[in-house]
């Protein structure tokens, strides 16, 4: 289950980590797993807020911790290497909005446990208690042919999104994965369907998973999608 996590894709392409594996096999101590834990986050916090909080650092994965469908105010952030972690720790007790955020070291297993808990939470025998009301709220919103996806794995590719919506009629050339100006994915995407009615029908995929991440869907607009596409090109 863990092997498909975006972090491992980064490891494969990262020579120092390949060396670390060889070093471990030779009995040399490998560098620590580059993850920190955040506590005290605002309850409306998103992946993007965390990217902004750690602006300039190379983030590989962000996991917002949930319990029974509710955000706990904690998150795990995996960086490209241990040096990035040292810089991240300097953000301890700095503010995000009106709340100061604790940033502290944690263990590799803590992160793995959080990944497993998220998957189990959204594959349990019954849906989280908040899901029904949230879905009803989205039902009342005005729909266009555009849906916004949030919480995507940062390694997601367009064919995975097309496959995710395989039972619905989308416009493949109008699937846009949002990126920051430096080219890194934000965890969001915009998908155009053949009609507003088809987009609303596709909301049945809300809270389904791609990889290890559950994906939230929201009604969007062509203007919002164009703005996101424009930011990605800057």
């Amino acid at each position: 289950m863990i092997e498909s996590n975006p972090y491992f894709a980064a490891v494969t392409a990262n020579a120092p980590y390949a060396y670390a594996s060889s070093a471990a096999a030779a009995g040399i101590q490998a560098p620590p797993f580059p993850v920190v834990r955040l506590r005290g986050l605002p309850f409306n916090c998103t992946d993007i807020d965390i990217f902004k909080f750690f602006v300039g650092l190379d983030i590989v994965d962000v996991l917002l911790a949930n319990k029974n469908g509710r955000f706990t105010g904690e998150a795990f952030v995996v960086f490209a290497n241990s040096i990035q972690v040292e810089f991240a720790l300097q953000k301890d007790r700095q503010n995000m909005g009106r709340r100061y955020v604790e940033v502290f070291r944690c263990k590799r297993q803590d992160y793995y446990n959080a990944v497993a808990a998220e998957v189990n939470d959204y594959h349990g025998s019954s849906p989280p208690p908040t899901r029904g009301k949230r879905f009803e709220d989205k039902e009342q919103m005005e729909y266009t042919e555009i849906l916004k996806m949030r919480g995507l794995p940062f390694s997601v590719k367009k064919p995975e999104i097309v496959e995710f919506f395989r039972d619905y009629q989308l416009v493949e050339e109008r699937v846009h994965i949002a990126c920051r100006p430096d080219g890194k994915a934000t965890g969001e995407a915009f998908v155009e369907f053949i009609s507003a009615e088809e987009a609303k029908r596709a909301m049945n995929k809300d809270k389904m998973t791609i990889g290890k991440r559950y994906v939230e869907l929201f009604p969007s607009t062509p203007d919002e999608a164009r703005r996101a596409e424009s930011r990605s090109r800057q």
Side-chain angles (χ1 to χ4, degrees):
M1 179 173 66
I2 296 299
E3 284 77 358
S4 61
N5 188 277
Y7 172 74
F8 288 88
V11 170
T12 303
N14 196 321
Y17 280 100
Y19 168 78
S21 298
S22 300
I28 302 172
Q29 186 175 5
F33 189 82
V35 61
V36 299
R37 188 170 185 169
L38 279 62
R39 188 162 57 200
L41 292 163
F43 284 96
N44 60 350
C45 177
T46 68
D47 292 357
I48 305 303
D49 296 319
I50 291 176
F51 270 112
K52 290 178 180 177
F53 186 71
F54 289 121
V55 63
L57 300 184
D58 192 1
I59 293 175
V60 173
D61 190 28
V62 173
L63 177 66
L64 300 174
N66 292 275
K67 186 173 183 179
N68 297 326
R70 294 179 182 273
F71 178 48
T72 64
E74 296 192 354
F76 294 82
V77 183
V78 180
F79 293 92
N81 54 55
S82 298
I83 295 174
Q84 301 284 314
V85 169
E86 297 304 320
F87 286 118
L89 291 170
Q90 295 176 21
K91 300 285 288 184
D92 183 40
R93 296 187 181 275
Q94 293 193 21
N95 277 51
M96 182 183 292
R98 296 181 178 180
R99 304 192 62 170
Y100 77 84
V101 177
E102 294 180 81
V103 182
F104 52 96
R105 299 180 191 274
C106 67
K107 297 178 181 178
R108 177 197 307 255
Q109 194 59 47
D110 295 332
Y111 170 67
Y112 288 172
N113 290 344
V115 172
E118 180 177 302
V119 173
N120 291 337
D121 197 23
Y122 287 91
H123 283 87
S125 57
S126 59
T130 58
R131 186 180 189 277
K133 185 178 186 309
R134 293 179 69 181
F135 190 78
E136 287 174 11
D137 291 342
K138 293 176 183 179
E139 282 281 295
Q140 302 305 315
M141 297 175 71
E142 183 176 348
Y143 280 77
T144 71
E145 66 275 18
I146 308 289
L147 288 184
K148 179 180 180 179
M149 308 178 75
R150 190 168 70 189
L152 291 163
F154 296 118
S155 60
V156 75
K157 301 292 186 244
K158 181 176 174 179
E160 295 173 84
I161 293 176
V162 173
E163 173 63 17
F164 183 73
F165 289 115
R166 65 181 179 275
D167 296 327
Y168 305 91
Q169 294 181 283
L170 54 75
V171 183
E172 288 196 27
E173 59 271 22
R174 297 300 303 156
V175 174
H176 172 69
I177 298 173
C179 296
R180 297 185 292 169
D182 63 4
K184 295 183 182 295
T186 66
E188 295 185 346
F190 293 83
V191 181
E192 182 174 327
F193 295 84
I194 62 167
S195 66
E197 291 74 19
E198 188 69 359
K200 188 171 184 178
R201 196 171 73 86
M203 283 293 295
N204 288 320
K205 298 288 289 185
D206 189 31
K207 297 290 188 182
M208 300 293 184
T209 57
I210 292 181
K212 300 293 184 294
R213 305 294 297 270
Y214 77 88
V215 179
E216 288 190 274
L217 303 180
F218 301 89
S220 185
T221 65
D223 282 345
E224 185 182 15
R226 278 194 295 269
R227 286 195 298 271
E229 193 167 356
S230 176
R231 286 195 298 270
S232 298
R233 291 172 177 168
Q234 291 176 359

